[in-house]
Amino acid sequence: MPDSILAAGRLSELESFLIELNATSAAAIAPLFRADHGLEDKGGPKGFDPVTAADKGAEAAIRKLISQRYPDHGVIGEEYGEDRPDAEFVWVLDPVDGTRAFIAGLPLWCTLIGLRHHGKPVLGSIGQPYLDELYIGHAGGSRLMARGTSRPLRVRPCPKLTDAIIATTDPEGCFDGPELGAWTQVRAAAKLARLGCDAYAYAMVAAGTMDMVIEAGLKSWDIESAIPLIEGAGGLVTDWRGAPVGQHGGQIVIAGDRACLDEALVALRRSAK
């Protein structure tokens, strides 16, 4: 974000609003978790694609608050599409990332809210309201707000892939053949792999308890909120070639240590698109 906006205190103002958006989303979601959540199947080429009243209701509530407070801002969301995506400020939303975990009653779903300025992700959060955790960050730093406390977030050193704890959501469901081969090679080298954590794994990299997340087929709302958070904690977000992530998701690697990332990219580059 340009220095002029930081000097004017705009970032602090927008960060406070981001916290408010998370509270608004949580209020819409909480009554539906482990309850009657109105499950629907959107269908699609990959089969079962769930959506619930929590997804729709939370995104609607977030959009309403943005339009009231910042009517000139744009919004991009999974459920209700784009509204002024070329605006100076654009909020990128996925109120329930991990809907499959949500409908299974697992507290691994997250609320993802990111903010672009002139097309660049500059502020982001990953919230897990059932656990009362909000991971929030920007270029100036990242922090965890949980149960009335706040502490800085920092990725941990892990220069060797053989020492790394890595994650992906669903190798067989999210990777095509070459991508699955690349993931299998990285997983074989890593110390430990965990599956099915969705964006909660991103937060764990920022918190220094995991070292890498590898995903493919992501949309902008799946990843943009994590970029400022991870970078503010000292980590990296790249595509499978090691290049910066654009505005359209795709093949993503989140890592806490550059050396570990470089080792994984040896395998991932062969299947990069």
Side-chain angles (χ1 to χ4, degrees):
M1 183 171 284
D3 292 341
S4 60
I5 295 179
L6 289 172
R10 193 70 188 277
L11 182 57
S12 177
E13 170 196 330
L14 291 167
E15 185 182 47
S16 295
F17 183 60
L18 177 56
I19 294 169
E20 187 177 348
L21 289 176
N22 274 276
T24 297
S25 178
I29 295 170
L32 302 177
F33 183 51
R34 297 179 177 171
D36 184 2
H37 43 61
L39 175 64
E40 299 177 22
D41 182 3
K42 292 187 288 186
K46 293 187 177 182
F48 181 56
D49 186 7
V51 64
T52 71
D55 297 82
K56 295 179 178 180
E59 184 169 324
I62 293 171
R63 284 175 176 265
K64 180 179 180 180
L65 188 55
I66 292 170
S67 68
Q68 291 173 343
R69 194 73 54 84
Y70 297 107
D72 58 328
H73 287 197
V75 182
I76 298 172
E78 180 174 13
E79 304 306 329
Y80 297 110
E82 298 183 348
D83 178 17
R84 285 167 293 174
D86 298 323
E88 178 183 359
F89 289 98
V90 179
W91 297 90
V92 184
L93 318 172
D94 189 355
V96 183
D97 178 87
T99 301
R100 289 170 174 80
F102 184 88
I103 64 176
L106 302 172
L108 293 175
W109 55 274
C110 296
T111 296
L112 307 183
I113 307 176
L115 179 65
R116 293 179 187 171
H117 181 239
H118 292 307
K120 178 184 176 182
V122 293
L123 177 65
S125 67
I126 297 176
Q128 213 313 312
Y130 186 77
L131 300 178
D132 193 15
E133 295 178 351
L134 179 60
Y135 301 80
I136 188 167
H138 50 74
S142 298
R143 60 191 170 122
L144 167 61
M145 302 171 63
R147 296 170 284 282
T149 67
S150 178
R151 67 173 179 86
L153 293 170
R154 196 70 187 169
V155 298
R156 66 183 179 188
C158 182
K160 296 181 179 180
L161 183 57
T162 52
D163 293 328
I165 299 175
I166 69 172
T168 194
T169 299
D170 179 1
E172 295 182 358
C174 297
F175 295 147
D176 63 21
E179 290 170 341
L180 182 58
W183 158 259
T184 301
Q185 184 175 345
V186 175
R187 179 177 183 174
K191 179 169 68 175
L192 176 66
R194 306 308 301 156
L195 307 179
C197 299
D198 294 289
Y200 195 70
Y202 308 169
M204 294 302 98
V205 174
T209 65
M210 299 183 75
D211 302 295
M212 184 180 297
V213 183
I214 300 171
E215 301 284 7
L218 299 189
K219 305 298 185 183
S220 58
W221 49 77
D222 295 317
I223 187 61
E224 285 201 29
S225 68
I227 295 173
L229 170 67
I230 297 295
E231 292 179 348
L236 307 104
V237 183
T238 76
D239 66 16
W240 284 23
R241 298 184 188 277
V245 177
Q247 294 184 0
H248 305 291
Q251 298 171 315
I252 304 297
V253 189
I254 291 174
D257 192 298
R258 166 62 72 178
C260 190
L261 172 63
D262 288 343
E263 282 195 45
L265 289 174
V266 173
L268 297 176
R269 283 193 180 100
R270 300 190 186 109
S271 302
K273 298 177 180 178

